[in-house]
């Protein structure tokens, strides 16, 4: 077994070499045909390479003794596996290097160190002896060289890259550097690179087996480039580390010297001066007594720390938060109810009940300054003005306003903050907002409270239980501050699109104020009073130049929007404003003349209408009924289609229906089957036909019991061969006994029916009170039928034969 021993090279070279082994050129003919073979475990020797080897097993030591006493030539071949002590012919590669022993030293431990020189590449033709050591007949391989422009270019590139590697490599010896400068022969230079480049054993063996100098150079160039990149990057990283350490040490010494100079000049220590400023701020801020004690205690800890310590910055930031929070800063409330009413009316059209509730809230605040009243939650479809109502309340009160979006929040620490033990810890959003507005009594709007999430980091909704509870939030404790902060003077408002996702305990703390969808006339007034003026101003247009007639706005509302709020309407108005701005800016419009956005020109500006006003289409065949549904974005109409085909009495349901809706369909079919004779339905039809119920818009999931009335009407229409009356919409839950029960969302459903062109409604008798909540203008346009039983429903819903 052999291994390199770099510490011995100087010892082995310290003695003079024999004349026969110094500077003598060896030819292929002077090398014996049969050579002893020494297996190398972890090194590949190249021609012209001088390397020390450690020989420690008896077989190899005998081989060395015989070689030294003889002609000193031997074959040096890499083993396929390094852990074999006495390799066999199968354990060796077939190509290696002819070597010559230059020096041998024996040591007391029985091992032998030899200095060998690589001479020529060899190939083993056959093994002639296996004992006492391996001997083989070898072929000395000739180097394949060529003189060409390409070979010259390869050599020069390799030389340049190797010189660059020598400059940045800390491991290459001076002998290698000298050899690289003085080696002109491409054959020897390629072997010098292969011997000293950082390569794996299999890569070195591969290079040794290449007889062509050009092939070796071509393979070495990418390896040289890769090694140079690695060494350059390593040097850069090392320099940056040393530079950073040197800079930190330099800064430390400079600070100490500066302190010493300041002490000699009689000036104060900067750290002491900063501590004095902090103490002065603590005294001036009039902090609560318990908070003041905490601040002073932390200040004492700060004074004992060196400024370069990591804990110093953490404590300094903590004191900064304690000092700058508005512990006793208020804004004076403007509790002028007429002025508040005027502000609400100016900024929002309609929503009278909502405004009344907000004004009542302000009235109670005026009578009782320290109000710990309910937390208001504004619930309604998108675009009806929930967020802007919160800003209006702040304007009416004269308080500062801040909005915190809760949509997508998953981390409880967003509310309560992180403990100071964590790197980069910060207070929660509530405390951060109070510091930003510099007031203890702002209006804080918690937007999209129904879209809070929860995961392994906690549930933010649970953290809000304390924030939104008037009985508890006077001692709200943020994890970062670790001191109670009184939130009782903060006016919290929340918004949501629907209530179901809100945590039950959190919902119990909220007073719900529902914001309904806007009617067509309300949208028209909002567009005239708010949307059109705002878009004209944003597009640099004047009211006198660009005009939006009422007919245009009505057509926009009916045919280009289909929403509960007014966001899409504002986008369409913005699109028309851009068209007008382009026309004016391109000087295609006479100066001083006004542009009127005519209703009959909308299709040229916005394309064809996106929605048909008469969406509740005329029903032309039995088995179709129009229902009403509630969604978080407002009410919608729902078509129920039923058909039958020859079969075995099965009921098929399609259209992404939920379990409750499927049960409603089964209940409707069971009722009709039980009342078949009364309704004039042939009972045999239920066994002879399969019935298929489908709800269009199949990609949208649908569920809930309120479609029961519509489903039973569609089935009755199909089985009785009587069409459902056109322009009729309905909603309600049914039972097996034929009763019609109350459902929710009546206001939104009726507004959706009105938008879709329905003229008559069928509602449960238990929803009479909800009908009164529908805007008067809608009630005037629609005829409503209240029913208690399905027996009352069918004669109203179905047309005569």
């Amino acid at each position: 077994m052999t291994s390199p021993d770099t510490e011995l090279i100087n010892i082995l070279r310290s003695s003079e070499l024999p004349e026969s082994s110094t500077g003598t050129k060896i030819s292929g003919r002077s090398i014996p045909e049969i050579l002893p073979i020494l297996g190398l475990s972890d090194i590949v020797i190249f021609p012209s390479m001088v390397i020390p080897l450690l020989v420690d097993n008896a077989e190899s030591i005998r081989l060395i003794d015989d070689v030294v006493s003889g002609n000193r030539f031997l074959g040096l071949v890499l083993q396929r596996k390094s852990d074999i002590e006495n390799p066999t012919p199968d354990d060796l590669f077939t190509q290696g290097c002819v070597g010559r022993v230059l020096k041998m030293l024996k040591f007391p431990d029985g091992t032998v160190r030899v200095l060998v020189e690589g001479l020529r590449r060899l190939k083993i033709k056959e093994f002639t002896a296996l004992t006492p050591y391996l001997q083989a007949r070898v072929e000395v391989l000739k180097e394949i060289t060529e003189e060409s422009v390409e070979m010259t270019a390869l050599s020069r590139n390799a030389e340049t890259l190797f010189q660059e590697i020598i400059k940045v490599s800390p491991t290459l010896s001076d002998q290698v550097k000298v050899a690289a400068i003085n080696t002109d022969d491409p054959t020897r230079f390629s072997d010098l690179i292969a011997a000293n480049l950082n390569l794996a054993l299999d890569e070195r063996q591969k290079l040794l087996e290449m007889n062509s100098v050009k092939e070796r150079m071509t393979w070495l160039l990418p390896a040289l480039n890769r090694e140079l990149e690695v060494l350059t990057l390593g040097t850069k990283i090392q320099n940056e580390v040393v530079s950073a350490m040197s800079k930190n040490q330099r800064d430390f010494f400079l600070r100490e010297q500066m302190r010493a100079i300041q002490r000699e000049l009689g000036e104060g220590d900067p750290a002491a001066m900063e501590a004095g400023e902090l103490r002065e701020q603590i005294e001036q801020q009039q902090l609560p007594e318990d908070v003041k004690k905490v601040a002073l205690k932390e200040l004492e800890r700060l004074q004992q720390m060196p400024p370069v310590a990591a804990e110093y910055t953490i404590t300094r930031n903590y004191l900064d938060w304690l000092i700058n929070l508005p512990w006793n800063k208020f804004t004076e409330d403007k509790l002028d109810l007429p002025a508040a009413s005027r502000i609400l009316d100016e900024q929002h059209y309609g929503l009278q009940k909502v405004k009344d509730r907000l004004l009542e809230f302000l009235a109670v605040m005026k009578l009782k300054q320290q109000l710990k009243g309910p937390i208001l939650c504004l619930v309604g479809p998108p675009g009806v003005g929930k967020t802007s109502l919160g800003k209006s309340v702040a304007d009416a009160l004269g308080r500062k306003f801040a909005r915190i979006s809760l949509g997508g929040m998953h981390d409880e620490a967003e509310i309560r903050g992180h403990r100071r033990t964590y790197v980069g810890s910060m207070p929660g959003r509530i405390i951060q907002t109070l510091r930003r507005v510099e007031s203890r009594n702002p209006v804080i709007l918690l937007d999209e409270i129904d879209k809070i999430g929860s995961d392994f980091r906690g549930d933010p909704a649970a953290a809000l239980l304390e924030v939104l509870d008037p009985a508890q939030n006077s001692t709200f404790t943020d994890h970062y501050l670790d001191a109670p902060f009184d939130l009782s003077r903060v006016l919290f408002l929340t918004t949501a699109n629907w209530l179901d996702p809100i945590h039950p305990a959190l919902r119990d703390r909220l007073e719900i104020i529902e914001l309904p969808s806007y009617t067509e006339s309300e949208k028209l007034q909002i567009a005239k009073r708010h949307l059109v003026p705002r878009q004209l101003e944003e597009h640099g247009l004047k009211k006198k130049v660009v005009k939006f007639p009422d007919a245009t706005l009505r057509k926009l509302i009916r045919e280009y929007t289909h929403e509960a709020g007014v966001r899409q309407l504002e986008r369409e108005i913005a699109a028309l404003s851009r068209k007008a701005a382009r026309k004016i800016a391109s000087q295609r419009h006479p100066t001083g003349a006004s542009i009127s956005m005519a209703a009959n020109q909308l299709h040229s500006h916005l394309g064809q209408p996106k929605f048909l006003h008469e969406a509740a289409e005329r029903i032309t065949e039995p088995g179709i009924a129009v229902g009403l549904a509630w969604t978080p974005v407002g009410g919608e109409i729902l078509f129920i289609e039923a058909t039958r085909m020859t079969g075995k009495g099965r009921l098929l349901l399609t259209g992404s229906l939920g379990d409750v809706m499927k049960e409603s369909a089964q209940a409707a079919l069971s009722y009709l089957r039980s009342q078949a004779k009364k309704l004039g339905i042939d009972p045999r039809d239920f066994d002879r036909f399969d019935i298929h119920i489908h709800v269009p818009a199949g990609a949208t999931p649908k569920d809930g019991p309120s479609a029961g009335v519509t489903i039973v009407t569609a089935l009755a229409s199909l089985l009785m061969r009587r069409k459902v009356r056109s322009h009729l919409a309905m909603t309600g839950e049914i039972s097996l006994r034929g009763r019609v029960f109350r459902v929710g969302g009546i206001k939104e459903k009726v507004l959706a029916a009105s938008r879709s062109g329905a003229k008559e409604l069928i509602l449960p008798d238990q929803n009479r009170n909800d009908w009164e909540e529908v805007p008067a203008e809608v009630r005037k346009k629609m005829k409503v039928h209240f029913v208690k039983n399905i027996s009352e429903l069918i004669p109203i819903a179905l047309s005569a034969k």
Side-chain angles (χ1 to χ4, degrees):
M1 182 181 291
T2 64
S3 62
D5 191 347
T6 56
E7 295 181 358
L8 294 173
I9 191 166
N10 293 327
I11 299 175
L12 292 168
R13 284 180 170 173
S14 61
S15 304
E16 292 185 7
L17 297 174
E19 280 188 26
S20 61
S21 63
T22 324
T24 304
K25 186 173 181 180
I26 304 298
S27 67
R29 294 179 180 177
S30 62
I31 297 173
E33 185 180 0
I34 296 176
L35 290 175
I37 303 299
L38 179 64
L40 305 176
S41 62
D42 54 2
I43 187 171
V44 177
I45 296 179
F46 291 87
S48 303
M49 178 178 175
V50 178
I51 193 77
L53 300 175
L54 169 65
V55 183
D56 56 1
N57 66 63
E59 182 179 309
S60 298
I61 291 174
R62 180 171 179 179
L63 183 152
I64 295 296
D65 286 338
D66 291 348
V67 167
V68 172
S69 61
N71 57 20
R72 298 200 173 212
F73 291 110
L74 75 164
L76 302 168
V77 182
L78 179 67
Q79 299 175 186
R80 297 184 185 275
K81 294 182 179 180
S82 61
D83 56 350
I84 299 175
E85 187 172 350
N86 295 310
T88 64
D90 293 336
D91 297 325
L92 300 175
F93 285 93
T94 58
Q95 293 191 35
C97 182
V98 177
R100 180 173 56 180
V101 177
L102 301 179
K103 281 291 179 183
M104 178 182 74
L105 288 176
K106 293 187 176 182
F107 284 79
D109 60 359
T111 60
V112 173
R113 271 74 164 176
V114 292
L115 188 68
V116 296
E117 177 188 12
L119 300 177
R120 301 284 295 276
R121 284 173 167 78
L122 68 81
K123 182 176 182 180
I124 298 175
K125 299 173 72 175
E126 62 176 342
F127 283 89
T128 59
L130 301 179
T131 58
Y133 45 77
L134 296 177
Q135 297 183 60
R137 180 174 284 104
V138 300
E139 177 188 354
V140 178
L141 302 175
K142 293 182 178 181
E143 300 286 351
I144 302 173
T145 60
E146 62 177 80
E147 294 183 2
S148 63
V149 175
E150 184 180 1
M151 188 66 214
T152 304
L154 287 171
S155 299
R156 288 181 181 177
N157 283 341
E159 182 180 358
T160 302
L161 290 171
F162 194 57
Q163 292 294 342
E164 292 294 327
I165 289 174
I166 289 173
K167 292 178 183 178
V168 296
S169 175
T171 58
L172 294 179
S173 64
D174 293 336
Q175 289 91 339
V176 175
K177 298 176 182 178
V178 172
I181 295 173
N182 294 285
T183 302
D184 297 327
D185 181 18
T187 302
R188 294 189 62 191
F189 190 68
S190 64
D191 288 336
L192 177 67
I193 295 174
N196 292 281
L197 200 60
N198 186 15
L199 298 173
L201 278 177
D202 57 342
E203 293 176 322
R204 291 177 186 271
Q205 179 64 28
K206 184 178 180 181
L207 283 168
L208 184 64
E209 294 175 359
M210 293 180 186
N211 296 342
S212 170
V213 179
K214 180 180 176 181
E215 185 181 357
R216 288 204 297 271
M217 285 293 191
T218 304
W219 192 95
L220 282 170
L221 280 178
L224 287 167
N225 274 308
R226 182 185 64 203
E227 183 67 13
L228 182 59
E229 288 180 8
V230 172
L231 288 172
T232 304
L233 183 58
T235 303
K236 179 183 177 184
I237 294 172
Q238 182 65 22
N239 290 339
E240 288 177 353
V241 172
V242 172
S243 175
M245 293 176 62
S246 301
K247 183 179 183 303
N248 290 337
Q249 293 173 353
R250 178 175 173 273
D251 291 348
F252 176 77
F253 288 127
L254 286 176
R255 287 193 186 95
E256 292 300 320
Q257 290 175 359
M258 189 166 58
R259 289 194 184 93
I261 293 170
Q262 288 172 339
R263 284 195 295 269
E264 290 296 328
L265 294 174
E267 297 178 359
D269 187 356
M273 294 174 62
E274 184 180 30
E277 292 175 0
L278 289 172
R279 187 178 298 276
E280 184 178 351
Q281 291 178 17
I282 291 172
E283 297 295 339
Q284 290 178 351
Q285 288 294 331
Q286 298 180 350
L287 305 177
E289 196 60 34
D290 53 345
V291 177
K292 186 175 181 180
K293 287 181 181 179
V294 172
L296 292 174
K297 184 177 179 181
E298 291 295 323
L299 182 59
E300 291 176 4
R301 290 182 64 242
L302 187 72
Q303 290 176 301
Q304 297 171 6
M305 297 179 195
V308 294
E311 187 71 18
Y312 185 91
T313 304
I314 295 173
T315 305
R316 178 67 181 82
N317 289 339
Y318 177 64
L319 284 171
D320 188 53
W321 275 100
L322 285 181
I323 292 170
N324 289 291
L325 279 176
W327 299 95
N328 290 296
K329 292 182 181 178
F330 298 93
T331 52
E332 197 68 30
D333 287 340
K334 300 176 182 177
L335 298 174
D336 185 348
L337 292 183
S341 178
R342 185 173 61 255
I343 290 173
L344 290 174
D345 288 337
E346 288 175 355
Q347 298 182 0
H348 293 84
Y349 178 81
L351 305 176
Q352 196 56 48
K353 290 191 176 182
V354 179
K355 293 177 184 176
D356 290 342
R357 180 63 186 89
L358 292 174
L359 290 173
E360 292 166 4
F361 188 78
L362 300 182
V364 176
M365 288 184 62
K366 182 175 182 179
L367 298 176
K368 185 178 181 182
Q369 298 292 331
Q370 300 292 333
L371 175 64
K372 290 187 178 181
I375 309 297
L376 302 183
C377 179
L378 306 177
V379 180
V384 295
K386 299 184 296 296
T387 304
S388 57
L389 264 175
K391 182 68 171 65
S392 299
V393 172
D395 292 343
L397 281 171
R399 292 190 181 188
K400 294 184 177 180
F401 175 76
R403 172 183 167 272
I404 299 176
S405 177
L406 302 180
M409 185 181 290
H410 287 78
D411 193 352
E412 179 192 0
E414 292 280 348
I415 304 297
R416 289 191 177 276
H418 297 85
R419 300 190 185 278
R420 282 181 290 145
T421 52
Y422 297 108
V423 176
S425 56
M426 292 282 287
R429 300 277 292 277
I430 303 292
I431 297 298
Q432 291 183 39
T433 300
L434 292 174
R435 177 177 176 176
R436 186 174 67 251
V437 300
E438 298 181 344
S439 174
R440 184 182 159 188
N441 64 335
V443 175
I444 296 181
L445 181 76
L446 302 177
D447 211 4
E448 310 291 358
I449 198 172
D450 56 328
K451 296 174 181 62
I452 295 178
S454 63
D455 58 14
F456 63 94
R457 292 168 292 185
D459 187 357
L464 283 173
L465 294 177
E466 181 183 2
V467 175
L468 299 181
D469 191 337
Q472 300 179 28
N473 61 11
S474 59
T475 56
F476 172 72
T477 302
D478 186 276
H479 287 159
Y480 180 84
L481 294 182
D482 200 22
F485 191 97
D486 187 1
L487 298 179
S488 62
R489 301 293 296 274
V490 178
L491 176 55
F492 287 105
L493 297 175
T494 66
T495 70
N497 293 129
W498 61 320
L499 296 174
D500 288 1
I502 301 177
H503 193 288
L506 182 58
R507 186 165 55 191
D508 185 59
R509 287 163 167 78
L510 306 176
E511 179 178 337
I512 309 300
I513 299 179
E514 294 188 359
L515 277 71
S517 302
Y518 290 121
T519 63
E520 183 180 309
S521 61
E522 287 176 332
K523 290 181 180 181
L524 177 64
Q525 293 300 322
I526 292 170
K528 292 169 64 176
R529 300 186 185 191
H530 302 287
L531 305 185
V532 171
R534 183 162 62 218
Q535 290 303 320
L536 292 179
E537 182 181 353
E538 289 183 1
H539 290 83
L541 303 172
K542 296 180 180 179
K543 295 181 181 179
K544 296 180 180 179
V545 178
V546 180
K547 297 181 179 179
F548 286 82
D550 287 3
T552 301
L553 295 175
R554 287 188 184 278
K555 189 168 184 178
L556 274 179
I557 294 168
R558 292 176 179 176
E559 300 183 7
Y560 289 88
T561 67
H562 189 72
E563 58 180 342
V566 291
R567 284 184 182 155
Q568 183 62 30
L569 177 60
E570 185 169 13
R571 282 191 284 266
E572 299 296 343
I573 293 173
L576 292 175
S577 300
R578 290 193 296 271
K579 301 290 185 184
R582 180 182 176 184
K583 192 173 183 180
I584 294 173
S586 59
Q587 298 181 348
R588 290 184 296 169
H589 186 72
T591 304
S594 63
I595 298 176
S596 179
M597 292 294 178
N600 57 7
Q601 296 177 349
L602 286 182
H603 68 279
S604 62
H605 297 310
L606 303 177
Q608 294 301 319
K610 301 174 184 177
F611 305 97
L612 295 176
H613 181 53
E614 297 293 332
E617 60 191 40
R618 184 174 182 83
I619 296 175
T620 58
E621 58 183 294
I624 301 175
V626 179
L628 299 173
W630 179 92
T631 71
V633 296
E636 294 286 346
I637 64 169
L638 201 66
F639 286 91
I640 306 289
E641 299 175 351
T643 188
R644 65 180 184 177
M645 68 288 291
T646 304
K648 298 180 180 180
R650 292 179 302 166
L651 176 63
L652 306 177
L653 301 169
T654 57
S656 296
L657 307 185
D659 290 340
V660 176
M661 202 166 179
K662 291 178 180 178
E663 291 169 0
S664 296
Q666 188 64 57
L669 184 61
S670 297
Y671 173 80
L672 293 176
R673 194 166 188 170
S674 67
Q675 303 294 321
K677 290 185 178 180
K678 292 183 180 179
L679 297 174
I681 302 173
D682 187 351
R684 294 173 297 176
D685 289 350
F686 293 101
D687 297 322
R688 291 184 300 178
F689 297 100
D690 288 342
I691 295 177
H692 186 174
I693 298 176
H694 178 68
V695 184
T700 305
K702 310 166 193 71
D703 204 1
S706 63
V709 161
T710 315
I711 293 173
V712 76
T713 302
L715 288 175
S717 169
L718 174 71
L719 296 171
M720 297 171 67
R721 296 293 183 178
R722 293 167 58 184
K723 294 184 295 184
V724 178
R725 294 165 56 199
S726 297
H727 307 296
L728 172 69
M730 61 197 73
T731 185
E733 181 181 356
I734 62 171
S735 72
L736 280 175
R737 295 178 295 161
R739 297 188 60 188
V740 178
F741 293 122
R742 173 191 177 91
V743 293
I746 292 296
K747 191 173 184 180
E748 298 296 335
K749 292 176 179 179
V750 173
L751 291 175
S754 176
R755 287 196 301 268
S756 301
K759 296 182 174 61
E760 293 186 55
L761 290 173
I762 296 178
L763 300 177
D765 187 69
Q766 296 175 359
N767 285 110
R768 284 183 182 272
N769 293 335
D770 297 308
W771 175 252
E772 300 301 322
E773 299 293 326
V774 178
E777 62 173 287
V778 176
R779 283 184 285 156
K780 290 178 182 177
K781 293 192 301 182
M782 305 189 75
K783 181 179 180 181
V784 62
H785 305 275
F786 294 104
V787 297
K788 296 180 180 179
N789 301 290
I790 298 176
S791 57
E792 300 175 17
L793 162 70
I794 292 176
I796 298 173
L798 303 185
S799 60
K801 291 185 179 180

